[in-house]
Amino acid sequence: GKGVYFSTRVMESHKYTEEDKTTRERTLFVCLVLLGKSTLGHAHMLTCPSGYHSTTNKDSIYAVFRDAQAYAQYLIYYK
């Protein structure tokens, strides 16, 4: 869908990082995310259904559709 995706599992997020060619470091944001009431999402969603604030795969991935729902708390550099 058209949301911004977050995971509760760092290795899931790691799959979407790229290594810097010079430093060989990767970066990840640790975010505070307001999920509110969540429902099962699907690939064609443009926004949450009425009465819901986020979507999920019912495992470890969540999507939000409003910028104010997520705050980047830390930027982590790692190898």
Side-chain angles (χ1 to χ4, degrees), residues 14-29:
H14 171 78
K15 294 181 206 176
Y16 297 95
T17 67
E18 293 183 12
E19 187 176 86
D20 181 280
K21 290 176 180 28
T22 305
T23 65
R24 303 198 61 195
E25 291 180 328
R26 295 172 182 260
T27 55
L28 260 178
F29 280 107

Side-chain angles (χ1 to χ4, degrees), residues 46-79:
L46 300 176
T47 188
C48 286
S50 181
Y52 294 93
H53 308 101
S54 63
T55 60
T56 182
N57 69 345
K58 298 289 187 195
D59 184 27
S60 64
I61 297 174
Y62 296 86
V64 296
F65 297 84
R66 292 183 179 89
D67 292 341
Q69 285 181 258
Y71 174 79
Q73 189 173 24
Y74 299 100
L75 176 59
I76 307 293
Y77 293 87
Y78 66 100
K79 290 185 181 183

